[in-house]
Amino acid sequence: MTAPDGAGVATPAPANDPWSLLRNATRARVALGRAGDGLPTARELEFRAAHAVARDAVHTPLDADRVRAALADAGVGLPLVEVHSQAPDRTTYLQRPDLGRRLADGTQLPAGDADLALVLADGLSPRAVHEHAAGTVTAVLERLPGWSVAPLVLAHQARVALGDPVGEALGARIVVVLVGERPGLSSADSLGLYLTHDPRPGRADSERNCISNVRPPHGLSYAQAADTLVALLQAARQLGASGVVLKDEGAALPPGVG
């Protein structure tokens, strides 16, 4: 099929976009095209909008009432305790990562003896906690019959390592921190799960296991994340350790993918 150009000479119509298959398979910004030396206007506007969404995700305050309501709607019956890190506000939290790893002075948590503690931490995307924490917690608890679970902890201005003093204070043998991950240009609501056996201050990142990108429908589903996490929890309990010595033996991709 041809189309006439300005001089009345027939020229070939554009062929099918060879990048369409790849573009349809990912939310990453690929094959954006070109207008002169820059991006097409539509792609430039999409970039600016995605950047604004990512910034908003970082600065959105954690809404404790929204999280409580989501947990209640999901049927999670565990009590919820709120804690704060030593970062007094969002600006300080972003500038001083070390303060986000420490509990605020005077924090009191109910001491106990539990197999597992779950910490819901705002991290760098409170939006991820708002949207995905309740579904993830529900899926995990459904797969852990017989496990004793400490009260849920909702942590404000929190980094992953805040789970170490929280888990120790609760008397938990394993802690899992569900934390809002750093937003990307196509993933402002990604939730990460960090598992640490025998939590206590001073644990290194190499002593943790991470499951990333829990954000259905574009990332892991709650069921997929929970299946992987529960397998790691059971293996960590048998091994008595987590981190680099604990390997995920599950399939690299869920059934039907690849």
Side-chain angles (χ1 to χ4, degrees):
M1 181 177 180
T2 59
D5 63 13
V9 178
T11 57
N16 290 335
D17 182 358
W19 292 97
S20 60
L21 182 64
L22 177 60
R23 190 183 297 110
N24 292 336
T26 177
R27 289 176 61 82
R29 295 172 55 80
V30 299
L32 300 179
R34 185 176 64 182
D37 294 331
L39 292 174
T41 300
R43 298 292 180 255
E44 175 67 21
L45 294 176
E46 288 170 1
F47 170 82
R48 296 189 184 193
H51 187 255
V53 170
R55 287 176 60 89
D56 285 348
V58 171
H59 292 283
T60 296
L62 180 63
D63 187 337
D65 290 338
R66 179 173 176 178
V67 176
R68 288 180 185 274
L71 291 168
D73 290 343
V76 177
L78 293 172
L80 183 67
V81 180
E82 287 187 62
V83 300
H84 293 257
S85 74
Q86 291 186 5
D89 51 55
R90 199 65 178 168
T91 299
T92 305
Y93 169 80
L94 295 172
Q95 295 174 344
R96 291 284 305 275
D98 57 311
L99 297 182
R101 303 184 183 109
R102 308 173 195 161
L103 280 171
D105 294 338
T107 300
Q108 298 293 324
L109 286 166
D113 180 27
D115 294 319
L116 176 66
L118 297 174
V119 179
L120 315 182
D122 51 5
L124 290 170
S125 177
R127 173 182 166 184
V129 177
H130 296 159
E131 298 184 9
H132 303 304
T136 304
V137 169
T138 301
V140 170
L141 295 179
E142 289 174 347
R143 289 162 171 76
L144 290 175
W147 281 56
S148 57
V149 182
L152 296 177
V153 174
L154 181 61
H156 296 256
Q157 316 296 8
R159 303 278 176 174
V160 171
L162 192 74
D164 296 337
V166 169
E168 181 183 53
L170 292 171
R173 283 171 281 283
I174 302 176
V175 66
V176 173
V177 178
L178 293 75
V179 62
E181 297 183 303
R182 184 186 305 275
L185 290 177
S186 60
S187 56
D189 62 335
S190 179
L191 190 71
L193 315 181
Y194 288 80
L195 179 160
T196 308
H197 183 274
D198 189 18
R200 61 181 185 275
R203 283 298 197 190
D205 288 341
S206 60
E207 297 174 292
R208 313 187 200 282
N209 294 84
C210 175
I211 301 168
S212 185
N213 199 35
V214 182
R215 48 185 294 268
H218 303 295
L220 287 179
S221 70
Y222 304 140
Q224 290 168 345
D227 286 341
T228 301
L229 178 63
V230 169
L232 288 171
L233 287 170
Q234 293 170 339
R237 184 158 70 170
Q238 293 178 352
L239 185 63
S242 58
V244 296
V245 299
L246 176 61
K247 305 300 181 183
D248 179 6
E249 303 293 343
L253 294 172
V257 177

